[in-house]
Amino acid sequence: MTKALEGIKIIDFTHVQAGPACTQLLAWYGADVIKVERPGSGDVTRNQLRDIPDADALYFTMLNSNKRSLTLNTKTPEGKEVLEKLIRTSDVMVENFGPGALDRMGFSWDRILELNPKMILASVKGFSEGHHYDDLKVYENVAQCAGGAASTTGWWDGPPTVSAAALGDSNTGMHLAIGILTALRQRDVTGKGQKVACSMQDSVLNLCRVKLRDQQRLDRLGYLEEYPQYPHGEFSDVVPRGGNAGGGGQPGWVLKCKGWENDDNAYIYFTIQGHAWAPICDAIGKPEWKEDPEYKTAAARQPHIEEIYAEIEKWLADKTKFEAVDILRKFDIPCAPVLSMKELAADKSLRESGTIVEVAHKKRGKYLTVGSPIKFSEMDIEVTGSPLLGEHTDEVLAELGYSDDRIAAMHEADAV
Ligand code: COA
């Protein structure tokens, strides 16, 4: 089966997580992704938080599958020459260096366009160009704070809190991948390349859209009816942290199940969707609440919401999270068990769908990674191990037309 992006050549000048997550996705879908790394050290994540001495860290292997690795010192004349050749023969260059690094290396956008007018240059930065913070270097949690996620996550009586989900890194990479595919499509029509840029702040804010919705509602009304602060608590003039409250139009909360005293994840997320109220009452053995004017409508329930959750927890007390969901699914109630990483790693359905995959690596042996979350009916996705540092250097140089002698000389000069 052919892959959708076969024939697209990508210079992967990325490191850490945001850029590599983007290019890994494109590699799964068939692009030839050549990861350009500094000789000797490579992407810093190869060494970060190693669990096996002398083998690339999982941080690296889980973000760089299906790629080739070319070592290149782009600050040497030979390295620059190779990069120029690569630019002339590639479709896309993806980078997430600190602000100005590419220019300092001698590869400004004007220079890249001169070398290849069809080039798509895709960049991740912490802040967008022209932003008053556009000189800052940024990592994940910095972006979550700058993009509105931290101020709206956590408990109202606690500090701003970051999410474990990589909203700043991998999420920005996914946005960039959409930008690259869009630019490729436009190039099909115009024949011209372009610059595609995603900032981590913008990408986090894009996922916090409903919190900007809430700010405007709060400005107008002075309260937010679905937040735990309503109707008994106080609102200031900024969107508060809502704990585990549902962010949409229906209340929800994380509720204890059997065993919560000893198991940190013996919980379910329970949603009180308006039209599911009658089934909820039946499921939890409170049929009298169905017609009770104190409980019948969402507005009537809101002052009692904690009492309702407490009642549901009583019902959950003798059921594991899995037993509870198996009952509630029969009543069509939106809910799920809170799953630990250990449970997700072993989940049969995720293994079967290829979302959790076991991959072979030359040094590590087998490791688990998250495969493509996007499934296609006309394309099989095979996740392969990440490359060793410089594993494909000679191969890529030969493809660019370099002779064996020239390649040997470049190794000698530490340019590759
Ligand atoms: N050969 C020679 N030099 C290379 C090279 C190569 N193959 N690859 C990188 N370099 C150089 C760069 O040219 C740069 O040199 P300069 O600063 O002298 O001009 C240098 O390595 C460091 O680059 P930088 O990206 O600034 O690294 P850093 O470790 O100081 O910062 C980040 C790391 C992630 C904070 C920064 O890259 C950043 O803010 N990136 C944008 C946002 C982002 O993606 N954040 C991380 C998300 S996971």
Side-chain angles (χ1 to χ4, degrees):
M1 210 180 248
T2 56
K3 301 273 190 287
L5 299 183
E6 244 161 52
I8 300 291
K9 187 166 153 188
I10 299 181
I11 305 168
D12 182 13
F13 226 166
T14 71
H15 62 163
V16 202
Q17 184 174 164
C22 165
T23 48
Q24 175 173 259
L25 191 90
L26 302 174
W28 286 336
Y29 305 153
D32 177 14
V33 175
I34 302 168
K35 180 151 179 123
V36 179
E37 299 180 81
R38 216 195 290 245
S41 52
D43 187 326
V44 69
T45 61
R46 285 187 185 268
N47 289 297
Q48 274 180 355
L49 310 173
R50 277 191 175 175
D51 57 324
I52 302 176
D54 304 325
D56 289 329
L58 286 164
Y59 197 10
F60 179 84
T61 62
M62 293 177 75
L63 284 156
N64 291 285
S65 58
N66 297 52
K67 302 180 184 178
R68 298 198 281 170
S69 168
L70 161 74
T71 46
L72 199 61
N73 183 345
T74 55
K75 287 188 174 161
T76 63
E78 297 92 335
K80 282 189 202 300
E81 182 198 293
V82 174
L83 186 57
E84 284 186 8
K85 276 188 196 258
L86 268 177
I87 291 173
R88 285 185 206 281
T89 55
S90 298
D91 300 280
V92 182
M93 178 152 113
V94 189
E95 64 91 22
N96 67 320
F97 293 125
L102 208 54
D103 289 352
R104 289 193 294 278
M105 210 185 273
F107 291 91
S108 64
W109 173 230
D110 285 348
R111 176 70 185 131
I112 291 170
L113 263 190
E114 199 175 55
L115 292 167
N116 181 355
K118 293 182 83 173
M119 175 59 80
I120 290 160
L121 172 64
S123 301
V124 168
K125 296 286 168 270
F127 294 87
S128 58
E129 207 179 316
H131 189 285
H132 55 275
Y133 283 150
D134 72 359
D135 56 323
L136 285 177
K137 289 185 174 178
V138 169
Y139 283 109
E140 172 68 52
N141 292 348
V142 178
Q144 290 203 27
C145 290
S151 70
T152 52
T153 303
W155 252 251
W156 42 92
D157 54 356
T161 304
V162 296
S163 163
L167 306 177
D169 285 344
S170 279
N171 168 46
T172 308
M174 300 303 104
H175 278 78
L176 193 69
I178 295 168
I180 291 168
L181 297 175
T182 306
L184 281 168
R185 175 73 190 104
Q186 193 167 11
R187 193 182 73 173
D188 288 344
V189 179
T190 65
K192 287 193 331 203
Q194 64 180 305
K195 242 189 343 176
V196 179
C198 272
S199 91
M200 295 167 76
Q201 182 191 40
D202 294 357
S203 303
V204 172
L205 181 57
N206 190 31
L207 296 199
C208 292
R209 185 172 291 262
V210 297
K211 299 296 174 182
L212 188 58
R213 172 202 70 185
D214 293 347
Q215 186 60 52
Q216 296 174 82
R217 292 168 57 224
L218 183 66
D219 291 345
R220 190 178 301 278
L221 302 170
Y223 66 92
L224 296 165
E225 66 192 61
E226 75 284 23
Y227 279 62
Q229 289 82 350
Y230 180 82
H232 306 298
E234 297 271 306
F235 285 90
S236 73
D237 61 351
V238 300
V239 174
R241 292 185 271 285
N244 284 321
Q250 53 282 316
W253 204 253
V254 169
L255 300 180
K256 293 176 187 132
C257 296
K258 184 176 159 189
W260 67 272
E261 298 89 341
N262 302 312
D263 175 355
D264 289 343
N265 295 303
Y267 292 81
I268 59 169
Y269 199 89
F270 193 100
T271 304
I272 303 185
Q273 200 185 15
H275 62 261
W277 180 241
I280 289 169
C281 296
D282 288 334
I284 65 168
K286 282 278 186 189
E288 65 275 19
W289 276 357
K290 280 194 269 190
E291 292 307 321
D292 186 332
E294 288 286 307
Y295 296 91
K296 200 173 172 195
T297 65
R301 285 192 291 276
Q302 193 59 31
H304 307 292
I305 202 78
E306 288 188 14
E307 175 208 329
I308 293 170
Y309 292 143
E311 202 57 46
I312 300 171
E313 279 190 339
K314 275 193 219 158
W315 178 79
L316 290 167
D318 62 350
K319 296 165 191 74
T320 67
K321 59 186 176 185
F322 299 112
E323 289 165 351
V325 169
D326 276 343
I327 297 170
L328 295 169
R329 71 200 304 183
K330 296 194 182 104
F331 291 85
D332 219 9
I333 295 165
C335 64
V338 171
L339 295 174
S340 68
M341 275 301 143
K342 197 176 171 75
E343 287 164 338
L344 288 163
D347 189 295
K348 200 165 158 277
S349 299
L350 293 178
R351 295 290 184 114
E352 281 169 8
S353 69
T355 298
I356 299 274
V357 276
E358 200 170 74
V359 184
H361 182 268
K362 291 190 179 67
K363 276 203 172 166
R364 297 190 60 87
K366 289 194 169 150
Y367 66 95
L368 282 189
T369 193
V370 183
S372 173
I374 308 171
K375 317 294 180 195
F376 300 88
S377 66
E378 296 299 313
M379 182 169 62
D380 285 337
I381 293 157
E382 190 203 350
V383 181
T384 60
S386 61
L388 300 176
L389 179 61
E391 186 178 337
H392 304 95
T393 300
D394 292 1
E395 178 183 298
V396 173
L397 292 175
E399 283 168 14
L400 290 174
Y402 286 103
S403 66
D404 290 348
D405 286 352
R406 201 59 218 291
I407 294 172
M410 280 197 259
H411 279 290
E412 193 69 25
D414 288 330
V416 296

